[in-house]
Amino acid sequence: MYAATASRAPRASQAKAVNLVQLARAAPAASPQAIVRIHEEQSGQAKRGKAKSTFMSHGLSWNQVLAQFGGEAGCPSTPFATMQQEVNKALIQQGSTLRVQSVENVYGRWSLKTNGIAKPVETDFIRGAIMSGVKNSNHWVGLPQSMSYLKIRGVPRYSDCEGTVLATPDNIVRAIEGLPYKQ
């Protein structure tokens, strides 16, 4: 039955019919739709999800906690591995399953990548661990405020040729005014 159906399908090959028959014999209780779906997944012919827009740029992930430090000194020189250990120790002591997997300096602040989304109480534990590990710092600890950003083609991210100075709102407005699709 499966082979006959497959052979009547437009552009069905004999190899496809043979594979469908083999799958049907291996899983006799499976429905014809399930057999076809399994075959498509195995052969790489499964329908792909909706293509992602090229106008969206991935921003901050919610599987992280951000720590921003005030003052002229910016980010402290505390080793990332030490801070990761201290934060994880505080989370374990409080019975949390959240763990910090890495720490890195991103855009002048720390990004603590986690194995899940931090609950408010877990963010408080992380804040406390950072406060005890980094003395004399005025800092903010919390979840990112955005998940993605709209990417407008033709608008530069940096205002200088070296890529070291971020574009200001005025730079962005001027760039948008010069675009043919500004409306």
Side-chain angles (χ1 to χ4, degrees):
M1 174 178 181
Y2 295 106
T5 303
S7 67
R8 283 193 305 265
R11 289 179 264 151
S13 69
Q14 186 175 4
K16 181 177 179 181
V18 169
N19 289 338
L20 287 169
V21 169
Q22 289 172 345
L23 281 171
R25 287 181 182 155
S31 69
Q33 293 84 2
I35 297 291
V36 170
R37 183 177 43 78
I38 293 168
H39 179 277
E40 287 174 347
E41 288 171 0
Q42 288 178 347
S43 64
Q45 297 173 354
K47 292 183 180 176
R48 304 285 186 246
K50 201 174 182 183
K52 292 190 180 195
S53 169
T54 59
F55 292 102
M56 291 302 288
S57 173
H58 289 290
L60 302 170
S61 163
W62 282 80
N63 283 354
Q64 68 178 323
V65 175
L66 300 177
Q68 188 165 354
F69 301 90
E72 295 177 18
C75 290
S77 60
T78 307
F80 292 152
T82 303
M83 190 49 54
Q84 180 181 354
Q85 290 171 352
E86 292 301 314
V87 170
N88 281 335
K89 187 165 72 172
L91 290 166
I92 290 168
Q93 287 174 347
Q94 298 299 326
S96 172
T97 58
L98 186 74
R99 297 293 178 269
V100 173
Q101 298 172 329
S102 68
V103 181
E104 60 185 344
N105 190 347
V106 179
Y107 302 115
R109 57 185 162 198
W110 282 357
S111 169
L112 291 83
K113 306 274 187 202
T114 59
N115 63 342
I117 300 172
K119 298 175 188 147
V121 69
E122 292 167 329
T123 305
D124 292 339
F125 299 149
I126 294 170
R127 182 179 300 109
I130 291 175
M131 284 179 67
S132 66
V134 179
K135 304 296 182 208
N136 300 326
S137 71
N138 176 17
H139 60 274
W140 172 86
V141 176
L143 294 175
Q145 302 301 306
S146 177
M147 291 181 64
S148 65
Y149 301 93
L150 179 63
K151 179 171 49 175
I152 303 172
R153 295 186 183 267
V155 176
R157 178 175 172 80
Y158 298 98
S159 62
D160 65 337
C161 295
E162 292 83 34
T164 58
V165 179
L166 288 174
T168 65
D170 290 337
N171 297 130
I172 294 169
V173 168
R174 274 194 301 276
I176 290 173
E177 288 295 321
L179 294 173
Y181 50 87
K182 70 179 181 181
Q183 297 302 329

